[in-house]
């Protein structure tokens, strides 16, 4: 809804409602396996009847395989439970502007209320066949924001602007999750004999009676969120002829209270218990950020530019982290970075060709990254060990160059090309990793365990900040053949990414050459367009993300459930389709 009572005042109010319901399935590759072992006892002189797993005898249970052998071409999932994401959101936006002549006052406000519900089976590689390791997460987002700005209207000479910003987010995330443990690497429904010590009896030997192999534990985690930010900003700009200089500074006051209450039911009953230490619950940051940009037109067709920026990202407290872990795994440090960029851009050949070239460098202190599927050992937690996704910091640098070119070869033929080389690396950062073999580099070789004295293993990282190659190239072209009131066209989009080695996954990704083609027809008045397309015309099947080793689950006493599969994400196979656009 728009409102303009005078030439100097305008107002807009919008409302949006979003409802989405998506189901996803995690692709895996591997030979599959028989993760369960048969349970039986073996007579051992002097010890009596010893459970086979403790005697080192593991006979596969072929009645419950994790699944068939799968390759990248199968695009298949083996998880028993679903992965469902539901989102219901209400969004209200208000935008008011009043032109005072020399300056304009603006007020922008927004309200968001969203409710996200995620249901998933955490055992995506099916290390526990016919068992759903459930997790249900409900997250309400209640966010209010407002910003007041006043800025001068002059384009030349000295300009200025000041503003104030406020935002607040509240809501309590609730996680209901299975935390059951298994005594032996046998079927969860099996009946087994346990060491007396396992049931708290200080005698040698084993129970003469059987007990369930599953130690059933359910967790409920409440995570209240209360975040508030005030910020104040000011900027100055100067424009005169070919010279333009603009700089700004922002002062922020960020306050957050993050707590987590854990309740256990089943074989273990406790809580609700606060698991975030008191000294990590409340956080206040008062960063100063900003930057400056300068550009100069050497000629009407050529500009040179340079920029500097200082940024800040507040640390965060982990949601539903295991109880009793060290503070570095609960709360991340604040991230700060300084960046510079310089380059040249312009046009030539009577403005038929545009080009740009720039170089950049960024130094990041405490780069905040996420390390997924990290094995932990936390005696105070239930379960005492398992896999979790941790946020963690590490120093890093980013440097690179990029160039782009686009132009009209003829009036009916456009061609564009862009390339970049970016080297983004950790600087000998100590980060969480899986190091089952104790080699000091990421691996999942052998039985899951923690190397070192911490709650997780740590490795020294010098590798990539993201699972992407240093070099990338994109190209696009369109050829048109005008025919009266309509114009047939052919368009192509090409993306190239070279092969690269991943430190985190210990895997070498193949190069990717993605070609998308479009053949269509559009009206010359721009009212409609129709095309048929082929995406991934070369039908390349490439892994884009791969897990480190097979998915596994540990048992409490003896044996490991090994699924025989690794998680992967793949490029989509070749796809054909058609698109019709119409503008009213």
């Amino acid at each position: 809804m728009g409102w303009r009572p005078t030439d100097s005042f305008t107002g807009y109010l919008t409302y949006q409602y979003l409802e989405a319901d998506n189901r996803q399935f995690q692709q895996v590759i591997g030979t599959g396996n028989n993760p369960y072992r048969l349970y039986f006892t073996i007579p051992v002189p002097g010890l009596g009847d010893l459970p086979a797993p403790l005697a080192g005898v593991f006979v596969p249970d072929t009645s419950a395989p994790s699944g068939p052998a799968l390759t990248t071409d199968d695009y298949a999932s083996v998880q028993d439970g679903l992965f469902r994401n539901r989102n219901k959101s209400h969004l209200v936006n208000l935008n008011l502007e009043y032109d005072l002549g020399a300056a304009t006052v603006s007020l922008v406000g927004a309200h968001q209320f969203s409710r996200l519900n995620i249901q998933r089976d955490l055992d995506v590689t099916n290390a526990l066949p016919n068992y759903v390791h459930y997790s249900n997460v409900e997250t309400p987002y209640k966010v209010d924001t407002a910003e007041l700005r006043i800025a001068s209207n002059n384009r030349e000479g000295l300009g200025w602007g000041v503003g104030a910003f406020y935002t607040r987010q509240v809501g309590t995330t609730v996680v209901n999750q299975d935390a059951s443990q298994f005594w032996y690497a046998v079927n969860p429904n099996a009946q087994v004999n346990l060491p007396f010590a396992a049931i708290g009896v200080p005698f040698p030997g084993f129970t003469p009676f059987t007990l369930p192999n599953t130690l059933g534990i359910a967790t409920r985690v409440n995570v209240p969120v209360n975040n508030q930010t005030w910020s104040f900003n000011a900027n100055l700009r100067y424009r005169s002829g070919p010279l333009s200089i603009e700089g700004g500074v922002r002062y922020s006051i960020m306050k957050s209270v993050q707590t987590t209450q854990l309740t256990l039911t089943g074989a273990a009953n406790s809580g609700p218990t606060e698991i975030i230490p008191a000294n990590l619950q409340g956080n206040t940051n008062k960063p100063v950020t900003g930057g400056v940009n300068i550009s100069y037109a050497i000629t009407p067709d050529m500009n040179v530019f340079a920029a500097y920026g200082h940024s800040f990202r507040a640390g965060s407290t982990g949601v539903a982290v295991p109880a009793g872990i060290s503070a570095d795994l609960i709360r991340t440090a604040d991230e700060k970075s300084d960046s510079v960029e310089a380059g040249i851009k312009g046009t030539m050949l009577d403005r038929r060709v545009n080009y740009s070239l720039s170089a950049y460098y960024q130094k990041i202190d405490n780069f905040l990254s996420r390390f997924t599927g990290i094995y932990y050992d936390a005696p105070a937690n239930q379960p005492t060990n398992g896999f979790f996704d941790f946020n963690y910091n590490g120093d890093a640098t980013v440097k690179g160059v990029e160039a782009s070119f686009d132009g009209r070869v003829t009036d009916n033929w456009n061609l564009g090309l862009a390339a970049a080389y970016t080297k983004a690396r950790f600087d000998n950062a100590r980060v969480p990793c899986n190091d089952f073999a104790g080699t000091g580099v990421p691996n999942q070789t052998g039985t899951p365990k923690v190397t070192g004295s911490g709650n997780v293993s740590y490795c020294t990282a010098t590798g990539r900040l993201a699972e992407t190659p240093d070099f990338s190239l994109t190209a696009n072209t369109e050829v048109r053949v005008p025919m009266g009131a309509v114009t047939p066209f052919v368009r192509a989009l090409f993306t190239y990414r070279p092969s690269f080695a991943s430190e985190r996954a210990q895997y070498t990704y193949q190069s990717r050459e993605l070609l998308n083609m479009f053949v269509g027809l559009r009206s010359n008045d721009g009212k409609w367009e129709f095309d048929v397309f082929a995406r991934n015309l070369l039908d390349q099947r490439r892994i884009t993300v791969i897990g480190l080793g097979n998915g596994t689950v540990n048992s409490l006493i003896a044996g490991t459930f090994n699924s025989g599969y690794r998680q992967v994400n793949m490029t989509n196979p070749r796809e054909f389709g058609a698109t019709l656009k119409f503008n009213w």
Side-chain angles (χ1 to χ4, degrees):
M1 180 175 67
W3 183 41
R4 191 176 183 183
T6 69
D7 291 341
S8 58
F9 181 86
T10 57
Y12 295 94
L13 179 66
T14 63
Y15 168 77
Q16 293 175 284
Y17 175 71
L18 168 67
E19 184 169 343
D21 189 345
N22 300 312
R23 288 170 172 82
Q24 298 172 264
F25 297 92
Q26 177 62 56
Q27 184 181 352
V28 295
I29 58 171
T31 59
N33 196 21
N34 295 299
Y36 299 152
R37 301 297 186 256
L38 294 174
Y39 180 81
F40 55 93
T41 58
I42 300 174
V44 177
L47 295 176
D49 291 338
L50 192 66
L54 285 176
V57 178
F58 297 97
V59 178
D61 179 356
T62 59
S63 67
S66 59
L70 297 172
T71 68
T72 54
D73 288 338
D74 290 312
Y75 288 89
S77 174
V78 294
Q79 62 194 65
D80 291 319
L82 56 75
F83 183 7
R84 184 182 185 188
N85 291 271
R86 286 175 288 177
N87 179 358
K88 292 184 178 180
S89 294
H90 302 268
L91 305 168
V92 179
N93 292 278
L94 175 66
N95 191 329
L96 303 176
E97 282 194 358
Y98 185 52
D99 189 343
L100 301 175
T104 296
V105 179
S106 303
L107 175 65
V108 179
H111 171 75
Q112 174 185 351
F113 176 69
S114 299
R115 188 171 295 278
L116 311 180
N117 187 281
I118 301 175
Q119 299 170 268
R120 63 183 302 186
D121 181 358
L122 298 177
D123 179 28
V124 295
T125 61
N126 209 23
L128 301 169
N130 306 316
Y131 182 94
V132 176
H133 191 185
Y134 70 85
S135 173
N136 299 322
V137 181
E138 186 169 302
T139 304
Y141 281 97
K142 297 179 182 178
V143 184
D144 292 298
T145 61
E147 184 173 14
L148 179 64
R149 300 189 301 262
I150 180 169
S152 63
N153 290 331
N154 59 301
R155 296 185 59 84
E156 291 292 317
L158 184 65
W160 53 270
V162 293
F165 173 82
Y166 172 80
T167 184
R168 184 172 185 231
Q169 176 185 339
V170 296
T172 298
T173 296
V174 178
V175 181
N176 288 289
Q177 188 166 299
D178 180 24
S180 297
Q181 304 248 335
F182 311 97
W183 296 110
Y184 302 104
V186 301
N187 195 301
N189 297 320
Q191 295 289 314
V192 297
N193 302 93
L194 300 179
F196 280 118
I199 59 173
V201 178
F203 294 112
F206 298 86
T207 59
F209 50 85
T210 59
L211 293 167
N213 187 47
T214 300
L215 186 66
I217 301 172
T219 64
R220 179 183 175 89
V221 182
N222 286 13
V223 186
V225 174
N226 189 345
N227 299 328
Q228 177 180 280
T229 297
W230 280 98
S231 70
F232 307 91
N233 64 83
N235 67 80
L236 288 174
R237 64 182 184 274
Y238 177 77
R239 293 175 183 167
S240 177
L243 178 65
S244 175
I245 303 174
E246 184 172 358
V249 63
R250 179 181 294 270
Y251 172 71
S252 301
I253 305 171
M254 304 174 176
K255 296 182 178 180
S256 66
V257 178
Q258 295 174 295
T259 60
T260 299
Q261 295 83 46
L262 172 66
T263 302
L264 302 177
T265 57
N269 289 277
S270 65
T273 303
E274 179 59 55
I275 64 174
I276 304 298
N279 64 311
L280 300 179
Q281 293 176 10
N283 295 276
T284 299
N285 294 287
K286 298 180 180 180
V288 177
T289 58
V292 60
N293 301 287
I294 182 170
S295 66
Y296 186 81
I298 299 174
T299 71
D301 295 329
M302 180 184 295
N303 275 35
V304 292
F305 64 90
Y308 164 78
H310 175 73
S311 65
F312 175 90
R313 183 163 53 152
S316 63
T317 300
V319 176
V321 295
I325 60 174
S326 55
D328 63 316
L329 297 170
I330 299 174
R331 174 78 189 178
T332 59
D334 300 329
E335 176 189 301
K336 301 176 183 179
S337 72
D338 293 280
S339 61
V340 292
E341 182 180 8
I344 184 172
K345 58 184 177 181
T347 64
M348 57 185 183
L349 300 179
D350 197 23
R351 301 202 171 190
R352 296 180 70 92
V353 175
N354 301 311
Y355 65 89
S356 68
L357 175 65
S358 64
Y360 44 87
Y361 177 84
Q362 184 177 20
K363 181 71 174 68
I364 310 173
D365 296 328
N366 295 320
F367 175 73
L368 179 56
S369 186
R370 191 163 181 82
F371 297 84
T372 59
I374 301 299
Y375 181 77
Y376 69 86
D377 185 5
N381 190 64
Q382 288 295 338
T384 57
N385 54 56
F387 294 86
F388 193 78
D389 297 344
F390 292 100
N391 294 330
Y392 210 78
N393 298 99
D395 291 345
T397 56
V398 180
K399 51 189 175 183
V401 295
E402 60 183 4
S404 66
F405 161 91
D406 65 85
R408 290 176 292 143
V409 181
T410 69
D411 290 343
N412 294 303
W413 180 17
N414 291 357
L415 179 66
L417 185 68
Y421 178 86
T422 303
K423 188 174 183 179
R425 298 289 191 272
F426 283 105
D427 286 340
N428 294 312
R430 180 177 179 267
V431 299
C433 67
N434 287 331
D435 182 13
F436 300 166
T439 61
V441 297
N443 70 85
Q444 289 190 192
T445 304
T447 302
K449 70 172 185 177
V450 171
T451 296
S453 58
N455 298 117
V456 301
S457 302
Y458 293 91
C459 298
T460 299
T462 58
R464 304 169 191 274
L465 302 188
E467 298 291 76
T468 57
D470 296 339
F471 179 76
S472 62
L473 181 145
T474 60
N476 64 83
T477 188
E478 182 179 275
V479 177
R480 298 171 296 278
V481 184
M483 300 175 63
V486 297
T487 300
F489 64 88
V490 177
R491 183 169 66 247
L493 303 175
F494 177 76
T495 302
Y496 170 71
R497 288 163 44 125
S499 172
F500 69 97
S502 166
E503 181 183 60
R504 288 198 198 185
Q506 294 293 294
Y507 179 80
T508 299
Y509 290 95
Q510 291 180 279
S511 63
R512 288 159 52 183
E513 296 82 27
L514 178 65
L515 177 61
N516 298 331
M517 292 289 297
F518 304 81
V519 178
L521 188 71
R522 65 170 67 100
S523 66
N524 291 340
D525 59 8
K527 285 196 171 183
W528 59 268
E529 178 176 310
F530 174 77
D531 67 58
V532 294
F533 60 81
R535 293 194 173 97
N536 191 8
L537 183 63
L538 304 178
D539 199 26
Q540 282 196 345
R541 311 292 178 94
R542 296 288 193 264
I543 293 174
T544 59
V545 178
I546 188 168
L548 177 64
N550 292 341
T552 61
V553 174
N554 249 13
S555 68
L556 290 170
I557 297 176
T560 299
F561 303 93
N562 190 324
S563 67
Y565 294 115
R566 295 176 75 173
Q567 299 182 48
V568 294
N569 292 344
M570 295 283 301
T571 54
N572 292 327
R574 183 164 47 213
E575 175 185 3
F576 298 100
T579 304
L580 174 63
K581 300 177 184 177
F582 191 86
N583 298 318
W584 282 271

